[in-house]
Amino acid sequence: MATVKVYDQNKQECGEIALASDVFEVEVRPEILNLVVRSQMAAKRAGTHMTKTRGLVSGGGVKPWKQKGTGRARAGSNRSPVWRGGAILFGPSPRDYSFKVNSKVRVLAMKMALSSHLANETLLVVKSITLPEAKTKYFANVANALGLSKALVIISAEDVTLMRSSRNIPGLTVITPERLSVLEILKHKQLVILEDALAPVQARFAKKGA
Protein backbone atom coordinates (compact mmCIF):
# COMPACT_ATOMS: atom_id res chain seq x y z
CA MET A 1 0.00 0.00 0.00
CA ALA A 2 1.53 3.27 -1.18
CA THR A 3 1.60 6.30 1.07
CA VAL A 4 1.65 9.76 -0.50
CA LYS A 5 1.89 13.24 0.93
CA VAL A 6 -1.16 15.48 1.16
CA TYR A 7 -0.80 19.16 0.31
CA ASP A 8 -3.00 22.19 0.79
CA GLN A 9 -3.89 24.47 -2.12
CA ASN A 10 -0.69 26.46 -1.56
CA LYS A 11 1.34 23.23 -1.85
CA GLN A 12 2.27 23.16 1.79
CA GLU A 13 2.57 19.63 3.16
CA CYS A 14 -0.22 18.89 5.62
CA GLY A 15 -0.17 15.12 6.12
CA GLU A 16 -0.06 11.72 4.46
CA ILE A 17 -2.61 9.28 3.12
CA ALA A 18 -2.50 5.62 2.08
CA LEU A 19 -3.67 4.61 -1.39
CA ALA A 20 -5.32 1.27 -2.16
CA SER A 21 -2.72 -0.97 -3.77
CA ASP A 22 -5.33 -2.75 -5.92
CA VAL A 23 -6.23 0.58 -7.57
CA PHE A 24 -3.01 2.62 -7.64
CA GLU A 25 -0.33 -0.08 -7.80
CA VAL A 26 -1.44 -2.16 -10.76
CA GLU A 27 1.10 -3.27 -13.37
CA VAL A 28 0.67 -1.13 -16.48
CA ARG A 29 0.12 -3.04 -19.72
CA PRO A 30 0.16 -0.72 -22.77
CA GLU A 31 -1.91 -3.08 -24.92
CA ILE A 32 -4.81 -2.93 -22.46
CA LEU A 33 -4.69 0.86 -22.28
CA ASN A 34 -4.48 1.06 -26.07
CA LEU A 35 -7.54 -1.15 -26.51
CA VAL A 36 -9.71 0.85 -24.12
CA VAL A 37 -8.57 4.25 -25.44
CA ARG A 38 -9.31 3.15 -29.01
CA SER A 39 -12.74 1.98 -27.89
CA GLN A 40 -13.53 5.31 -26.23
CA MET A 41 -12.28 7.34 -29.19
CA ALA A 42 -14.21 5.16 -31.64
CA ALA A 43 -17.41 5.67 -29.63
CA LYS A 44 -16.99 9.44 -30.02
CA ARG A 45 -17.04 9.23 -33.82
CA ALA A 46 -20.32 10.40 -35.34
CA GLY A 47 -20.18 7.98 -38.26
CA THR A 48 -22.52 10.20 -40.31
CA HIS A 49 -20.31 10.38 -43.41
CA MET A 50 -22.08 9.41 -46.60
CA THR A 51 -21.83 9.62 -50.40
CA LYS A 52 -24.66 9.22 -52.88
CA THR A 53 -25.10 5.92 -54.66
CA ARG A 54 -26.79 5.49 -58.04
CA GLY A 55 -30.12 5.19 -56.30
CA LEU A 56 -29.71 8.56 -54.55
CA VAL A 57 -28.25 10.77 -57.28
CA SER A 58 -30.84 12.93 -59.04
CA GLY A 59 -31.48 12.32 -62.73
CA GLY A 60 -31.33 9.11 -64.70
CA GLY A 61 -34.28 7.21 -65.97
CA VAL A 62 -33.76 8.29 -69.57
CA LYS A 63 -31.03 7.01 -71.83
CA PRO A 64 -28.85 10.07 -72.65
CA TRP A 65 -28.59 9.14 -76.35
CA LYS A 66 -29.29 6.22 -78.58
CA GLN A 67 -27.10 3.16 -78.34
CA LYS A 68 -25.57 3.32 -81.81
CA GLY A 69 -24.77 5.76 -84.54
CA THR A 70 -23.62 8.80 -82.54
CA GLY A 71 -19.92 8.03 -82.49
CA ARG A 72 -19.90 8.35 -78.73
CA ALA A 73 -19.45 5.69 -76.08
CA ARG A 74 -22.53 3.84 -74.96
CA ALA A 75 -24.34 5.45 -72.04
CA GLY A 76 -27.33 4.18 -70.13
CA SER A 77 -27.75 6.79 -67.39
CA ASN A 78 -26.38 10.16 -66.38
CA ARG A 79 -26.16 8.76 -62.85
CA SER A 80 -23.22 6.59 -63.86
CA PRO A 81 -20.14 6.98 -61.63
CA VAL A 82 -18.02 7.86 -64.67
CA TRP A 83 -20.14 10.95 -65.30
CA ARG A 84 -19.56 14.29 -63.66
CA GLY A 85 -22.22 14.70 -60.98
CA GLY A 86 -22.87 10.98 -61.02
CA ALA A 87 -22.84 8.43 -58.23
CA ILE A 88 -19.89 7.41 -56.07
CA LEU A 89 -18.97 3.76 -56.02
CA PHE A 90 -17.83 2.16 -52.75
CA GLY A 91 -17.99 5.48 -50.91
CA PRO A 92 -18.43 5.77 -47.12
CA SER A 93 -21.86 5.16 -45.66
CA PRO A 94 -23.23 5.82 -42.15
CA ARG A 95 -21.90 3.34 -39.62
CA ASP A 96 -21.29 2.82 -35.93
CA TYR A 97 -17.56 2.71 -35.15
CA SER A 98 -17.92 1.65 -31.53
CA PHE A 99 -16.85 -1.80 -30.39
CA LYS A 100 -17.38 -3.65 -27.16
CA VAL A 101 -14.75 -3.99 -24.46
CA ASN A 102 -15.52 -6.18 -21.46
CA SER A 103 -16.27 -4.29 -18.26
CA LYS A 104 -13.45 -6.06 -16.37
CA VAL A 105 -10.97 -4.92 -19.01
CA ARG A 106 -12.26 -1.34 -18.78
CA VAL A 107 -11.88 -1.35 -15.00
CA LEU A 108 -8.39 -2.84 -15.27
CA ALA A 109 -7.41 -0.12 -17.75
CA MET A 110 -8.71 2.55 -15.39
CA LYS A 111 -6.57 1.15 -12.55
CA MET A 112 -3.55 1.07 -14.86
CA ALA A 113 -4.11 4.69 -15.88
CA LEU A 114 -4.28 5.78 -12.24
CA SER A 115 -1.28 3.62 -11.37
CA SER A 116 0.78 5.15 -14.18
CA HIS A 117 0.45 8.60 -12.62
CA LEU A 118 1.58 7.29 -9.25
CA ALA A 119 4.52 5.45 -10.83
CA ASN A 120 5.54 8.56 -12.80
CA GLU A 121 5.18 10.79 -9.72
CA THR A 122 2.59 12.96 -11.46
CA LEU A 123 -0.12 12.22 -8.89
CA LEU A 124 -0.88 14.95 -6.38
CA VAL A 125 -3.30 14.63 -3.46
CA VAL A 126 -4.68 17.97 -2.28
CA LYS A 127 -6.63 18.35 0.95
CA SER A 128 -9.13 20.81 -0.54
CA ILE A 129 -9.47 23.75 -2.90
CA THR A 130 -11.50 26.67 -1.62
CA LEU A 131 -12.18 29.76 -3.71
CA PRO A 132 -13.90 32.98 -2.55
CA GLU A 133 -15.97 33.10 -5.74
CA ALA A 134 -16.20 31.64 -9.23
CA LYS A 135 -13.50 33.59 -11.01
CA THR A 136 -10.77 32.26 -13.28
CA LYS A 137 -8.02 34.27 -11.58
CA TYR A 138 -8.60 32.54 -8.22
CA PHE A 139 -8.30 29.05 -9.71
CA ALA A 140 -5.32 30.18 -11.80
CA ASN A 141 -3.54 31.27 -8.61
CA VAL A 142 -4.13 27.83 -7.07
CA ALA A 143 -2.95 26.10 -10.25
CA ASN A 144 0.23 28.16 -10.27
CA ALA A 145 0.89 27.41 -6.60
CA LEU A 146 0.45 23.67 -7.23
CA GLY A 147 2.57 23.81 -10.38
CA LEU A 148 -0.19 22.60 -12.69
CA SER A 149 0.02 22.94 -16.46
CA LYS A 150 -2.00 20.18 -18.10
CA ALA A 151 -3.85 18.55 -15.23
CA LEU A 152 -6.98 16.58 -14.47
CA VAL A 153 -8.49 17.58 -11.11
CA ILE A 154 -10.82 15.03 -9.51
CA ILE A 155 -13.33 16.41 -7.01
CA SER A 156 -15.77 14.37 -4.92
CA ALA A 157 -18.97 16.05 -6.17
CA GLU A 158 -20.18 18.74 -8.55
CA ASP A 159 -18.81 22.09 -7.42
CA VAL A 160 -20.11 24.99 -9.50
CA THR A 161 -17.48 27.40 -8.17
CA LEU A 162 -14.53 25.17 -9.06
CA MET A 163 -15.91 24.15 -12.44
CA ARG A 164 -16.73 27.68 -13.54
CA SER A 165 -13.40 28.99 -12.30
CA SER A 166 -11.40 26.35 -14.19
CA ARG A 167 -13.22 26.07 -17.51
CA ASN A 168 -11.36 28.98 -19.14
CA ILE A 169 -7.90 27.74 -18.17
CA PRO A 170 -6.29 25.81 -21.05
CA GLY A 171 -5.20 22.28 -20.14
CA LEU A 172 -7.04 22.08 -16.82
CA THR A 173 -10.10 19.88 -16.40
CA VAL A 174 -12.21 19.42 -13.27
CA ILE A 175 -14.17 16.18 -13.12
CA THR A 176 -16.06 13.95 -10.66
CA PRO A 177 -15.23 10.25 -10.04
CA GLU A 178 -18.28 8.92 -11.88
CA ARG A 179 -17.23 10.73 -15.08
CA LEU A 180 -13.66 9.46 -15.08
CA SER A 181 -12.39 7.71 -18.18
CA VAL A 182 -9.07 6.20 -19.24
CA LEU A 183 -8.81 8.71 -22.08
CA GLU A 184 -9.27 11.69 -19.75
CA ILE A 185 -6.68 10.40 -17.29
CA LEU A 186 -4.03 9.62 -19.89
CA LYS A 187 -4.34 12.78 -21.96
CA HIS A 188 -3.42 14.92 -18.94
CA LYS A 189 0.19 15.02 -17.78
CA GLN A 190 -0.77 15.55 -14.12
CA LEU A 191 -3.46 14.04 -11.94
CA VAL A 192 -4.77 15.93 -8.91
CA ILE A 193 -7.16 14.20 -6.51
CA LEU A 194 -8.83 16.05 -3.67
CA GLU A 195 -8.60 14.11 -0.43
CA ASP A 196 -12.36 13.64 -0.10
CA ALA A 197 -12.51 12.29 -3.69
CA LEU A 198 -10.07 9.45 -3.00
CA ALA A 199 -12.66 7.28 -1.25
CA PRO A 200 -15.20 7.43 -4.13
CA VAL A 201 -12.47 6.78 -6.71
CA GLN A 202 -11.12 3.76 -4.85
CA ALA A 203 -14.62 2.46 -4.07
CA ARG A 204 -15.63 2.64 -7.73
CA PHE A 205 -12.82 0.40 -8.90
CA ALA A 206 -11.73 -1.63 -5.88
CA LYS A 207 -15.05 -3.48 -5.69
CA LYS A 208 -14.73 -4.80 -9.24
CA GLY A 209 -12.33 -7.52 -10.19
CA ALA A 210 -10.14 -7.30 -13.24
Side-chain angles (χ1 to χ4, degrees), residues 17-167:
I17 192 168
L19 303 178
S21 58
D22 59 339
V23 176
F24 287 94
E25 293 182 284
V26 176
E27 180 187 358
V28 177
R29 295 169 56 188
E31 68 275 12
I32 298 294
L33 294 175
N34 177 268
L35 173 66
V36 175
V37 168
R38 284 194 298 109
S39 171
Q40 292 177 354
M41 294 182 71
K44 290 176 177 287
R45 297 184 66 175
T48 53
H49 43 39
M50 179 179 166
T51 55
K52 290 185 177 181
T53 62
R54 294 185 70 139
L56 298 175
V57 175
S58 62
V62 177
K63 189 174 175 64
W65 49 75
K66 64 180 183 178
Q67 183 80 347
K68 296 178 181 292
T70 64
R72 290 180 288 184
R74 294 172 290 183
S77 170
N78 61 6
R79 294 189 294 189
S80 168
V82 301
W83 280 51
R84 182 177 180 181
I88 300 296
L89 287 184
F90 311 115
S93 57
R95 57 167 290 190
D96 179 12
Y97 282 94
S98 64
F99 58 91
K100 183 178 182 295
V101 176
N102 291 337
S103 60
K104 286 188 176 182
V105 176
R106 292 198 304 269
V107 171
L108 179 59
M110 188 73 74
K111 293 178 180 180
M112 289 178 180
L114 294 170
S115 299
S116 68
H117 277 286
L118 179 63
N120 295 330
E121 298 183 351
T122 53
L123 172 65
L124 186 66
V125 178
V126 178
K127 190 169 186 64
S128 65
I129 297 178
T130 305
L131 305 178
E133 57 180 313
K135 284 193 174 182
T136 304
K137 66 178 181 180
Y138 294 127
F139 197 96
N141 291 336
V142 174
N144 290 334
L146 294 174
L148 306 181
S149 55
K150 190 173 183 181
L152 179 66
V153 181
I154 306 176
I155 59 178
S156 59
E158 296 281 346
D159 188 320
V160 176
T161 301
L162 287 181
M163 290 184 167
R164 286 183 178 177
S165 301
S166 64
R167 63 187 177 186

